[in-house]
Amino acid sequence: MELSEVDSSMVQIIGYDKKAQRLEVVFGSGKAYFYEGVPPEEYASLMKAESKGRYMRAKIIGKYPSFELHYRK
């Protein structure tokens, strides 16, 4: 999965696996989540959105199954 930094006060990094339809989001807080079953067109709309945070709150968070990622340091 390729990760991309984005210009957003809420979201730092976004990645997407088209085959698995899995969205990975790293928030400004440092917390990271996978969102499952996200269709490619939803990911494309997120990446085009003027406000990534507003889009996440309106269209992704609470709409798709998610789980927090815990990275080892």
Side-chain angles (χ1 to χ4, degrees):
M1 176 183 303
E2 186 174 324
L3 301 172
S4 302
E5 288 189 33
V6 295
D7 184 21
S8 170
S9 59
M10 180 179 162
V11 178
Q12 286 184 332
I13 299 169
I14 296 174
Y16 185 69
D17 182 329
K18 186 176 181 177
K19 186 175 181 180
Q21 293 194 341
R22 178 181 288 162
L23 178 70
E24 181 176 347
V25 179
V26 180
F27 291 94
S29 66
K31 290 189 176 192
Y33 291 84
F34 272 150
Y35 295 88
E36 300 287 344
V38 178
E41 55 273 10
E42 189 83 89
Y43 166 69
S45 294
L46 169 62
M47 294 306 285
K48 291 177 188 174
E50 187 174 317
S51 171
K52 306 289 188 276
R54 195 172 311 137
Y55 192 93
M56 285 294 301
R57 286 189 295 273
K59 303 285 188 171
I60 306 291
I61 297 170
K63 309 288 191 281
Y64 294 97
S66 64
F67 60 93
E68 187 174 355
L69 298 170
H70 299 279
Y71 294 109
R72 293 183 184 176
K73 294 183 180 184

